[in-house]
Amino acid sequence: DIQMTQSPASLSASLGETVTIECRASEDIYNGLAWYQQKPGKSPQLLIYNANSLHTGVPSRFSGSGSGTQYSLKINSLQSEDVASYFCQQYYDYPFTFGSGTKLEIK
Amino acid sequence: QVKLLQSGAALVKPGASVKMSCKASGYTFTDYWVSWVKQSHGKSLEWIGEIYPNSGATNFNEKFKGKATLTVDKSTSTAYMELSRLTSEDSAIYYCTRTPTVGAFWFAYWGQGTLVTVSS
């Protein structure tokens, strides 16, 4: 199975700041990567697919980048509604696997 | 619009089985794979497996083979997952999900989740 190592586990930032969350795959996943946001008590919501494509309706302050085994999610101009947990998912190979998550809080 | 409506929370005894449902609406049920994802309390997400309603074909995470059974009822556009021989490790929220387009493998649509609690 492809292991997804996500960092950091938690993150505290101020409103308006830019934050970056990273995911490292145990092997090349050829941009087969998605990012999800999960607010407390809610289902995960898709943000990014194919490593850098913004899902419909997602604010443009979210962006994804990377290639090979290293990927990142950047959130520009942090807003209060961005408080959530974020997960990466590889879908290059079965079984699909997720990162361990990053909990984002506002300072 | 696409909706996935899952069955309510279940409290089940160790060793028993539980069957949960995921009723789809807003699209042609038989055209898209339905995946199931497990989220243990305070932990990350695990992909259990997927089923193609048109044919009943399935793909599973090896970890969940023998634990999860996936079925569909095309007449009611409902997918089911049954978990057997339950232990405390099976206590979790279970989501059904769907990809946004045919040939995609990321999950654009999620049910609201079914909480399963295994306790005597």
Side-chain angles (χ1 to χ4, degrees), chain B:
Chain B
Q1 70 279 32
V2 174
K3 286 188 178 178
L4 300 172
L5 183 63
Q6 296 187 239
S7 47
L11 172 62
V12 289
K13 294 190 184 317
S17 298
V18 66
K19 189 173 185 178
M20 63 193 79
S21 64
C22 170
K23 183 169 175 59
S25 61
Y27 71 98
T28 302
F29 179 62
T30 50
D31 284 353
Y32 296 86
W33 290 81
V34 173
S35 274
W36 292 84
V37 174
K38 176 184 181 181
Q39 186 168 37
S40 303
H41 179 66
K43 293 187 179 177
S44 187
L45 303 156
E46 291 181 280
W47 181 76
I48 296 170
E50 62 183 0
I51 185 166
Y52 188 54
N54 196 33
S55 63
T58 55
N59 293 306
F60 278 97
N61 184 336
E62 283 291 325
K63 178 180 177 180
F64 291 95
K65 281 186 178 177
K67 168 64 67 178
T69 301
L70 304 182
T71 56
V72 296
D73 181 342
K74 289 190 281 189
S75 69
T76 60
S77 298
T78 302
Y80 296 91
M81 180 170 70
E82 182 169 19
L83 301 173
S84 60
R85 298 183 302 279
L86 292 167
T87 73
S88 58
E89 294 295 305
D90 298 314
S91 293
I93 297 174
Y94 293 88
Y95 295 101
C96 61
T97 71
R98 204 211 84 178
T99 61
T101 58
V102 174
F105 297 97
W106 54 94
F107 306 124
Y109 303 101
W110 294 69
Q112 83 278 20
T114 293
L115 174 63
V116 173
T117 303
V118 181
S119 174
S120 56

Side-chain angles (χ1 to χ4, degrees), chain A residues 42-57:
Chain A
K42 300 293 187 183
S43 305
Q45 305 246 306
L46 177 66
L47 296 174
I48 301 283
Y49 62 96
N50 289 345
N52 56 25
S53 297
L54 198 66
H55 181 54
T56 305

